[in-house]
Amino acid sequence: MSRPAPTVDQWPELDMPFPLRQNPHVEITRARTREWAIAMGMLPTDQARHWWDHVNLTALEAWCFPDVRPERLLLVDKWLSMGIMLDDQFDSTPLGRRLDATCRVMNDLITATTHPSGAPHPPRHPFSRAVTDLLAAFTQVMSPVWMQRHRYHLTLWWGGVVQAVAHRAHGHAPLTFRQRLAVRRLTVGMHAYGDLFELACDWEMPPACNALYEVQRIRRIVSDVTVYLNDLYSVERERAEGNDDNVLLAWESGGLTPEQARNRSAQQIEQMVREFITLRATLPELATAARLVTADQEGLERWAITCTLYLSGANHSQAIIPRYTDTTSHLAHDHRLDCALEASSTDPPPGRWDS
């Protein structure tokens, strides 16, 4: 993976030994996701909609999932738009330093993951409305087993946000690299996002197959490469925001220069990509040993291809789209979630719904 020397404010795109192409349905998907985000209340102003147009999130999904058919790409794109706009509420607003308000928001979101599809749902805020809508759509195409796993992975993501806010608000010393990586593995949401690879390739991993070391290790590699890419390409934006939730900044707090931290991140990515290639080659033999039926052998191959194309697309899109490269545009709209869920005597306790 050869690359020119970085400047202070820019890091050149890494080379990935995988195919790179864009999904042809990108423009229609972008328009439909935008319409959905407005309907959910996540883009309530002209300024917020301009931000969404500028940061170009759908381009990321179109590069990451070039072969996915339109309806599945739309679901993945909706999920990512919800996730990034929610994440920004904790990185770029006062909510990110208020543990009490963060816990209230997360109580509401975690409760939303168990809300029965089609049942009346009091719209607490745009993100719980969006999560409820997405999960209802997922139940139409994915099994109850997959849904249970995805709901659990959502709670891991949001629990990581609570940890990040708790440290930001009350931590007395910078997190070490290992501590920060452990939190980043949660706050980037890749446990849950990784589930969408099955939705994207129109196949569900058999539960026992999902427990195999090779499959779990590939999932971890895809997750960690995403963390390193995200933090590599967005470190200057986050530095400008004063957001410390970045593994490169953890290395810097331990004594590395910005250039050394970026080189180390690139080296880690290269090492994981080599391991991915090795593991990827073992999957056909693994499928035979597990005596997977033909449909599942073919599905496992599609899943592996999806992971391969994702790594290439994630690298390319995060290197070029404004969401990661523009240090001047970092928030769609402050939804004042620190105030939206202020507790009152009439609120039901977490986990209960108004009848």
Side-chain angles (χ1 to χ4, degrees):
M1 296 183 184
S2 61
R3 53 188 176 275
T7 66
V8 173
D9 297 321
Q10 182 179 1
W11 184 267
E13 182 180 340
L14 300 179
D15 292 329
M16 284 277 181
F18 306 127
L20 176 67
R21 55 182 181 270
Q22 190 177 46
N23 195 298
H25 308 294
V26 56
E27 294 304 328
I28 186 62
T29 301
R30 190 196 324 273
R32 294 177 67 184
T33 299
R34 188 181 193 272
E35 181 180 354
W36 174 81
I38 293 170
M40 293 296 106
M42 293 185 291
L43 298 176
T45 66
D46 288 341
Q47 182 180 10
R49 294 167 194 177
H50 175 75
W51 172 92
W52 194 90
D53 293 337
H54 172 64
V55 296
N56 201 8
L57 301 180
T58 306
L60 188 152
E61 295 310 303
W63 285 112
C64 289
F65 299 100
D67 298 337
V68 177
R69 52 194 175 93
E71 292 304 319
R72 297 296 177 96
L73 181 66
L74 177 63
L75 288 175
V76 174
D77 193 41
K78 286 180 177 180
W79 192 102
L80 183 82
S81 289
M82 176 277 297
I84 285 182
M85 285 189 276
L86 175 64
D87 182 65
D88 280 350
Q89 300 300 307
F90 299 93
D91 289 342
S92 307
T93 80
L95 178 64
R97 295 186 178 276
R98 287 196 55 189
L99 183 58
D100 60 330
T102 296
C103 287
R104 284 198 299 274
V105 172
M106 291 311 172
N107 282 339
D108 184 68
L109 281 170
I110 292 170
T111 301
T113 66
T114 61
H115 190 58
S117 175
H121 172 40
R124 305 294 296 272
H125 58 74
F127 300 103
S128 59
R129 185 181 304 122
V131 167
T132 301
D133 187 76
L134 278 170
L135 290 175
F138 289 162
T139 61
Q140 302 302 309
V141 294
M142 306 302 285
S143 74
V145 172
W146 185 95
M147 293 296 301
Q148 181 181 34
R149 169 161 43 103
H150 188 61
R151 288 186 174 100
Y152 171 66
H153 286 160
L154 288 173
T155 67
L156 291 180
W157 169 24
W158 296 329
V161 174
V162 172
Q163 293 180 30
V165 170
H167 180 264
R168 188 180 300 143
H170 303 289
H172 300 294
L175 294 179
T176 66
F177 166 76
R178 289 188 179 277
Q179 291 170 330
R180 176 59 69 188
L181 178 59
V183 174
R184 286 294 287 141
R185 283 170 169 164
L186 299 176
T187 58
V188 80
M190 280 302 297
H191 289 85
Y193 188 66
D195 295 333
L196 302 186
F197 288 37
E198 294 162 70
L199 180 143
C201 71
D202 200 13
W203 173 75
E204 288 189 29
M205 186 81 66
C209 188
N210 193 50
L212 291 168
Y213 167 80
E214 293 84 352
V215 171
Q216 286 294 305
R217 184 58 190 158
I218 286 175
R219 283 184 64 114
R220 172 52 62 85
I221 288 171
V222 169
S223 173
D224 281 358
V225 168
T226 302
V227 169
Y228 285 114
L229 288 173
N230 184 306
D231 292 5
L232 174 66
Y233 292 130
S234 67
V235 64
E236 296 308 326
R237 178 177 62 84
E238 286 155 354
R239 196 192 308 278
E241 292 177 357
N243 173 23
D244 66 347
D245 195 22
N246 185 300
V247 294
L248 275 72
L249 296 179
W251 273 323
E252 290 180 29
S253 71
L256 296 188
T257 67
E259 182 175 348
Q260 288 171 332
R262 284 170 154 174
N263 277 319
R264 182 169 293 185
S265 180
Q267 291 164 2
Q268 292 285 340
I269 292 168
E270 292 172 356
Q271 180 179 337
M272 287 187 286
V273 167
R274 288 194 296 269
E275 184 182 357
F276 171 84
I277 292 171
T278 299
L279 289 169
R280 165 78 174 83
T282 70
L283 292 182
E285 181 180 353
L286 187 70
T288 299
R291 293 195 176 183
L292 296 184
V293 299
T294 301
D296 283 336
Q297 291 188 32
E298 294 172 351
L300 184 62
E301 175 64 14
R302 289 201 306 276
W303 178 80
I305 292 171
T306 300
C307 292
T308 302
L309 295 173
Y310 169 82
L311 290 172
S312 183
N315 174 59
H316 178 66
S317 58
Q318 293 189 44
I320 64 170
I321 69 171
R323 160 65 187 175
Y324 298 95
T325 61
D326 186 353
T327 62
T328 67
S329 179
H330 51 78
L331 179 64
H333 184 79
D334 184 352
H335 286 276
R336 298 304 307 274
L337 298 182
D338 55 331
C339 301
L341 293 176
E342 290 287 354
S344 72
S345 59
T346 59
D347 280 341
R352 291 183 55 191
W353 296 87
D354 295 331
S355 58

